[in-house]
Amino acid sequence: MRKLLASVLGIALAAAGTFAGEITVGFAQLGAESMWRTANTDSVKGEAARRGINLVFSDAQQKQENQIKAVRSFIAQGVDVIGLPPVVESGWEPVLREAQEAGIPVILTDRRVDTSDESLYTAFLGSNFITEGENAGNWLVRELMGRYGVVKGEVFELVGTVGAAPAIDRKKGFEAVIAKHPNLNIVKSQSGDFTRAKGKEVMEAFIKSPEWDKAATKIIYGHNDDMVLGAIQAIEEAGINPGKECIIIGVDAIADAFEAIAQGKMHCTVECNPLLGPQLFDMVEAVVAGKEVPKTVYSIEGTYDYYCAEALLPWRRTLY
Amino acid sequence: MTRIAAIAVFWTCLLAVLYLLRRQRNVAFWPLLALSAILLFNLFFTPHFYNLEMRGGHLYGVPIDIINHASKVAVLSLGMTLVIGAGGIDLSVGAVMAIAGATMAHLNIEAGMAPGYCILAALATGLLAGMWNGFLVAIMEIPPMVATIILMVSGRGVAQLITSGQIINFNNPVLNFIGNGFILIPFPFILTLVVFGVTYGVTRGTALGFMIEAVGDNEVAARRAGLSAKTIKFLVYVFAGLCAAVAGLVHTSNIRSADANNIGLYLELDAIMAVVIGGTAMTGGRLYLASSVIGAILIQALTTTMYAKDVSPVVAPVPKALVILAVCLLQSERVRRYLADRPNRAQGRGNE
């Protein structure tokens, strides 16, 4: 009965919304646990305001039950579309089914859900970590070709937290690219837990290894910028010039990495884009207009190197 | 040639120390034996392990990395030894490290304060956190695990508030020196030796050490004997808080940025592990300071050996766990008695 009432109310509200020509979107943000997340929130809010979309925003403080509550209240309010970055993968089927029964499309952002029934959500929008790894690999191959005319080198890899999806996929994508080049190999690979401190500690160990002395072209590939920034300190403290004697690549494109590139201490950072607002509302508008949207949409992610980092730094500082 | 001579001298000294410790039945023998085993392994299987050189006016090499990175946990474990010796436990030290680091970076960058004041203020946050824990445990009589878990959970949030959720970078010669400086050997290790010296002097030079052990062994008996158990319990938590602040400064300074999310994360567990490896019983009543420091160095030596041997990060925790398990087993009375009795049993003269 309550469900029926809710859906009747929802349809009425939605009808009123459509009548006024205004789209209402409920966004059940998972929290504010990192700078990446804060930038994500700002992007969604800013883009909604720019397009005149009515955004109902809720912050679940990293708790799934809060997110489920938020989605239920969006269903009751009869929003047009629900945006949901699920905090965990499992346990979403009941509430997604409720949304489906109420006829409200759900767009998952930046994380996926674990379900056998893919019809429960309309689309997924987020990063492709494998592509990020490939972007890093492709940039490296181009750079080596440009510098030496041959693709040859020894890669010292700083892996993310063991078992984390970005760590697994960024390794996979990178390895897939360099596998095509027999003289480009990963000679050392250790986990730096995605932190500056561990990145620095692991790099200190790398520098003292025989592999480091043997390496003709020293390449450092880190699964995030923070580990790479720690590693750069270790390289400098060992009396080595990171910009001249190494090729250093990170992932995330945080502002501090742009600064390191601008200072000539790092060479490239691959973007992991939190600014999903524009793409999200493109999809929302398409869904509301009754158009088909692809099931999986990957966020637009760039690769930034020393040609552009210095010029882009002031802009990046305003982002995240 | 000098390298081989130096290694020979080092090993002679190490074996002499081991022999003396064994004869005195000193608890530090076991963790030092395990550490020697790791060093021996590296002597044969990691050729670059013993490459010590002078670079940039200071010593440079893998062993230097080990004592450098072991310093954080070593300082933490000194505070933790007193707390555990007094029958308590402090789970909040990792979070207190984050608060101290965040305070130092924030005051330097956002408030533009001189480095000396930043350091003092950061140490004060550690004292304050320790007083809070001491108040909850000693005065309010909340079980230590419950009392300190409060700050463990909320402390990182406090650190986040101080840094507004950002990683604060700083670049000040004084602040950089705490975690990166060298006076021939790494400054963090010198700091560890100083904290060790002071702690040892205060606990063993006076009756304070015995008082802490008395409170940890049997609080009621200690009180009946006229000791103020409350004061002693309060003080050990304050000291642990101060040690955590020192470790937090070292950690933050080392990466020249306050990373409130990650500084000191899970290090309370490493500190407890170092204390246990050192032979201090979790039930309290005994404290072995030098042994805890060796325990901290042992943990770091294991980690660094995994890097040097290029053990895959997926399996690295397994050999580490095995070595630590072996040391803990050697600390067990029962295992030791079994090992000591074995020759007798073999000759059919078992004393059971």
Side-chain angles (χ1 to χ4, degrees), chain B residues 107-126:
Chain B
L107 290 181
N108 184 250
I109 295 299
E110 308 293 332
M113 275 166 73
Y117 293 113
C118 298
I119 294 167
L120 284 179
L123 294 178
T125 59

Side-chain angles (χ1 to χ4, degrees), chain A residues 204-282:
Chain A
E204 284 174 3
F206 281 176
I207 294 170
K208 291 175 184 80
S209 68
E211 287 88 345
W212 180 263
D213 295 328
K214 268 184 264 165
T217 312
K218 300 173 171 63
I219 298 150
I220 291 121
Y221 167 51
H223 290 181
N224 80 346
D225 285 335
D226 279 316
M227 288 191 292
V228 168
L229 291 171
I232 291 171
Q233 290 185 8
I235 294 168
E236 286 184 311
E237 280 163 24
I240 302 164
N241 184 328
K244 296 223 166 72
E245 296 174 58
C246 314
I247 298 175
I248 305 178
I249 312 163
V251 182
D252 271 358
I254 62 171
D256 283 351
F258 276 77
E259 191 160 319
I261 298 174
Q263 289 169 353
K265 295 176 177 180
M266 187 174 163
H267 300 88
C268 170
T269 180
V270 174
E271 189 172 35
C272 178
N273 192 358
L275 310 178
L276 301 180
Q279 276 180 294
L280 174 64
F281 291 109
D282 282 350

Side-chain angles (χ1 to χ4, degrees), chain A residues 115-132:
Chain A
T115 170
S116 51
D117 183 4
E118 289 210 334
S119 72
L120 284 177
Y121 61 90
T122 309
F124 163 82
L125 165 67
S127 298
N128 185 343
F129 299 132
I130 295 183
T131 308
E132 288 168 2

Side-chain angles (χ1 to χ4, degrees), chain B residues 3 7 10-11 39-40 42-43 46-52 63:
Chain B
R3 182 165 164 266
I7 292 173
F10 169 76
W11 269 96
L39 296 178
L40 190 68
N42 283 309
L43 183 63
T46 319
H48 72 276
F49 192 90
Y50 286 82
N51 285 357
L52 266 187

